Amino acid sequence: MRRAALAIVSTVAALVMLLSFKTHSVSSSRPAAIGAANTGDGSATGGDSGSTAPPSTATSTHAGSTKGGSSSAAKTYTGDSTDTQWGPVQVQITVQSGKITKVAVVDYPHGNPRDDEINSYALPQLVQATMSAQSAHIDTVSGATVTSDGYLGSLQSALDRAGL
Amino acid sequence: MSRTVSRAVTTLEAPPRTRYVEHCMGTVFSVDVRDRGEWSAAIDDLVDWLHRVDEVFSPFKPGSDVSRLARGELRLADADPEVRTVLELCAEVSATTEGTFTALVDGRIDPTGLVKGWAVERASALLRRHGSANHAVNGGGDVQLAGEAAPGRPWTVGIVDPNDRTRVLTTVEGRDFAVASSGPAERGAHIRDPFTGRPAAGLAGTTVVGPSLTRADAYATAAFVMGRDAVRWIAGVPEYAVLAVFPGGATVASRGWPPAGR
């Protein structure tokens, strides 16, 4: 069981890494502001490890241009739910002043003790990898071929929408 | 073939950036144009190009030219003319890599190891024809870079640590260059040694830098198969450099690494 959890964790971390470092090269092809504005950092982080309820995301896709200079207010973007071999996974990121300030998995496979382990361990890695990408000034990333399956699509779509 | 991503393009005020992502060939292609302007027509062409490559070259599509060639149902003379172009490039790379790279898998034509890099390099050329001198096209981790990231600032490419994919092992800076990586990290042990028929297992990953992504992509695969010998081999290939990463974390690079000030 633990092995399975670790496998998931490493997959999560790998995909997040690829995505997070790719934020500079990934498109904002479908700009869509989804969900409510995040009010702050401290109080919101508690939800990362516990809540299993997917938020009701009202998908409002507008094909215009995204923010130019009005990005100082925190905004939350939710990716499409993507089926992985473990079940549906959905990722949400919060962006403030053009930087990712928070990454959360809002939906993930339930009904198994390993879920708790994933959430207590993978999420900090998600955030850490994303944050370090933000400070690295990397334009794009090279690595062994990325597949478009699974979790990748979910976080990627969130990042695409954030337009980073 | 349904496109999962809308083709709308967002252009930000400053700095000028147009970004676009397309899922194709089982991977993700990211386009990042750093020139001012309206690039939706160029990106439409680019997307059409990628899907055309997939239709012609995919070994997973029974109706592709490559699949039909492999089954003996199509003659090369009757295939899409790009097939001949790619097979000639495969022959060139096979010679350069002393047979380590091959487009023959179990006696069947399969140029997959070169097609993605080639498609990305051609996509970059397509953007240049549309007037973009500064852009990055990334095909699932293989990148062709044109011009620079911003006036006076070269592109910075992070290289994933194949032993810990949450980390960037190192970065490479440059202008007008290509970076390709190879390894089993995401797709499992998919790279076979053509001389033994077994999965190559000596290295955790390789990254090759050079002017052409077509070659860099194939060279990275060949270098992965060669293992430790890759460094010595690439010393004889002008303009290309390799970084090889071992499973324990040790790295070895060819003399041309890191490629400075391209």
Side-chain angles (χ1 to χ4, degrees):
Chain A
M1 200 56 73
R2 173 154 186 90
R3 200 173 152 199
L6 287 175
I8 293 171
V9 164
S10 66
T11 303
V12 165
L15 293 172
V16 165
M17 203 278 337
L18 286 160
L19 283 167
S20 56
F21 283 109
K22 250 184 184 173
T23 54
H24 297 282
S25 67
V26 162
S27 85
S28 54
S29 57
R30 198 168 47 178
I34 299 168
N38 196 326
T39 49
D41 285 325
S43 62
T45 52
D48 286 358
S49 57
S51 167
T52 58
S56 53
T57 53
T59 309
S60 63
T61 306
H62 38 89
S65 63
T66 48
K67 68 258 173 205
S70 65
S71 57
S72 57
K75 285 187 178 153
T76 301
Y77 303 87
T78 305
D80 295 329
S81 183
T82 301
D83 284 327
T84 71
Q85 61 188 102
W86 307 285
V89 173
Q90 193 171 25
V91 173
Q92 191 177 65
I93 62 172
T94 302
V95 177
Q96 188 158 20
S97 301
K99 298 239 179 219
I100 297 172
T101 56
K102 184 181 163 201
V103 181
V105 178
V106 293
D107 190 17
Y108 45 80
H110 310 302
N112 190 305
R114 75 183 185 211
D115 294 340
D116 291 338
E117 200 169 349
I118 294 165
N119 291 306
S120 61
Y121 184 57
L123 285 170
Q125 282 211 10
L126 272 167
V127 176
Q128 191 180 8
T130 307
M131 298 304 179
S132 60
Q134 289 284 300
S135 58
H137 301 296
I138 288 169
D139 294 305
T140 186
V141 164
S142 177
T145 301
V146 181
T147 65
S148 64
D149 293 343
Y151 201 43
L152 178 64
S154 180
L155 180 55
Q156 178 145 330
S157 70
L159 293 169
D160 290 349
R161 290 169 190 203
L164 290 173
Chain B
M1 172 110 246
S2 68
R3 290 180 186 169
T4 55
V5 176
S6 112
R7 290 227 235 158
V9 170
T10 300
T11 305
L12 301 180
E13 285 297 316
R17 291 184 66 169
T18 301
R19 276 155 299 177
Y20 182 78
V21 64
E22 180 74 8
H23 293 249
C24 186
M25 304 182 207
T27 186
V28 184
F29 292 80
S30 303
V31 182
D32 183 351
V33 179
R34 302 287 176 98
D35 298 298
R36 222 169 274 284
E38 219 295 305
W39 301 101
S40 53
I43 288 171
D44 275 356
D45 278 2
L46 185 151
V47 168
D48 288 347
W49 162 251
L50 293 178
H51 285 281
R52 184 182 150 210
V53 171
D54 196 26
E55 292 300 319
V56 171
F57 288 95
S58 173
F60 308 110
K61 293 178 188 287
S64 74
D65 289 31
V66 160
S67 293
R68 293 167 61 209
L69 275 169
R71 289 196 304 266
E73 298 170 10
L74 182 68
R75 293 185 311 155
L76 185 55
D78 300 325
D80 188 296
E82 300 287 14
V83 175
R84 175 180 289 275
T85 305
V86 164
L87 292 181
E88 285 170 358
L89 284 164
C90 287
E92 176 210 304
V93 169
S94 186
T96 308
T97 62
E98 297 157 8
T100 306
F101 177 90
T102 176
L104 282 175
V105 179
D106 299 332
R108 288 161 56 105
I109 292 172
D110 183 359
T112 308
L114 180 139
V115 163
K116 181 159 65 77
W118 170 76
V120 170
E121 184 176 346
R122 288 279 297 260
S124 171
L126 186 152
L127 290 177
R128 281 187 188 275
R129 284 201 301 279
H130 275 273
S132 168
N134 302 282
H135 58 255
V137 184
N138 189 331
D142 296 327
V143 200
Q144 182 80 50
L145 301 121
E148 48 192 14
R153 183 169 78 80
W155 291 99
T156 301
V157 181
I159 295 166
V160 177
D161 182 349
N163 289 310
D164 177 1
R165 295 173 64 78
T166 66
R167 287 185 61 223
V168 161
L169 185 66
T170 185
T171 58
V172 185
E173 290 191 358
R175 296 170 171 86
D176 296 312
F177 71 121
V179 186
S181 295
S182 193
E186 281 229 339
R187 293 193 299 176
H190 67 286
I191 300 170
R192 289 195 304 164
D193 184 334
F195 302 120
T196 66
R198 301 223 293 270
L203 296 174
T206 51
T207 297
V208 168
V209 174
S212 154
L213 188 60
T214 305
R215 279 122 188 133
D217 188 12
Y219 291 170
T221 306
F224 186 80
V225 172
M226 290 179 195
R228 188 179 288 274
D229 293 340
V231 172
R232 202 175 323 135
W233 162 73
I234 214 160
V237 183
E239 299 188 283
Y240 290 83
V242 69
L243 175 72
V245 184
F246 289 85
T251 57
V252 55
S254 63
R255 251 180 322 193
W257 190 284
R262 283 171 186 278

